[in-house]
Amino acid sequence: PEAVIPVPSPTEIPIITTYSGTGFSLIPPSRWTKDESRAFGTEVAFSNPLADEDGGNRLAASVNVVEEEVNQTDFTVYLAASKENLSKQFEMYQVLSEQPAGTGSGSGVILEASYELGVYKLHNLQLLQVAGTKAYVVTATALETKWANYAAMYKEVLESFKVE
């Protein structure tokens, strides 16, 4: 018998669309819900339309972009202040890795961290990038138990981020 090669249906073919915000662009996960309401202080947020479940708790994986003015442009000072704020904001916040990131348009770092928020045990990648007097924070979050499902995709989303 001849091997049958499955042909993806149109809904399985990834759609790559670049999102352009004010001063930045990135390639978000395909078919995720986009929220530009700025309701939570984000420039834009993308969330998985299918929430993940862990022990009865449901949470939609997400990616969001926050833009803020920075008074000083020394990236090491900004990074130290950001880490301190994150450790105060989230219970059990722990940086798991720190990698240089960013293009010629600014210096940056990608932090991988785990933390708790109420009943949720979470894991995230967070790109912190300073360009001129603006800092961009791109955060990609999922439940700790579902992290392996998102890690590679999140890395690609953060690597696609460009300051324009």
Side-chain angles (χ1 to χ4, degrees), residues 116-133:
E116 294 180 9
L117 184 62
V119 297
Y120 300 106
K121 289 185 188 316
L122 302 171
H123 198 121
N124 75 7
L125 280 181
Q126 191 166 53
L127 170 66
L128 294 96
Q129 186 169 342
V130 173
T133 59

Side-chain angles (χ1 to χ4, degrees), residues 62-77:
S62 64
V63 174
N64 69 62
V65 180
V66 173
E67 181 184 307
E68 57 189 10
E69 291 292 323
V70 287
N71 297 332
Q72 44 68 38
T73 54
D74 182 340
F75 185 73
T76 38
V77 173

Side-chain angles (χ1 to χ4, degrees), residues 4 9 17 20 25 27 32-33 49 51 53 56 75 96 108 133 148 160 163:
V4 177
S9 69
T17 0
S20 292
S25 67
I27 299 172
W32 279 26
T33 307
E53 191 170 326
F75 185 73
L96 305 172
T133 59
S160 77
V163 175

Side-chain angles (χ1 to χ4, degrees), residues 57-125:
N57 298 314
R58 295 174 56 79
L59 181 84
S62 64
V63 174
N64 69 62
V65 180
V66 173
E67 181 184 307
E68 57 189 10
E69 291 292 323
V70 287
N71 297 332
Q72 44 68 38
T73 54
D74 182 340
F75 185 73
T76 38
V77 173
Y78 175 77
L79 179 60
S82 294
K83 285 182 186 174
E84 185 179 329
N85 288 340
L86 290 164
S87 67
K88 289 177 182 175
Q89 191 176 358
F90 300 112
E91 299 168 46
M92 308 296 288
Y93 182 81
Q94 180 181 1
V95 174
L96 305 172
S97 72
E98 187 174 318
Q99 313 258 327
T103 60
S105 57
S107 54
V109 71
I110 293 179
L111 299 176
E112 180 174 353
S114 63
Y115 59 99
E116 294 180 9
L117 184 62
V119 297
Y120 300 106
K121 289 185 188 316
L122 302 171
H123 198 121
N124 75 7
L125 280 181

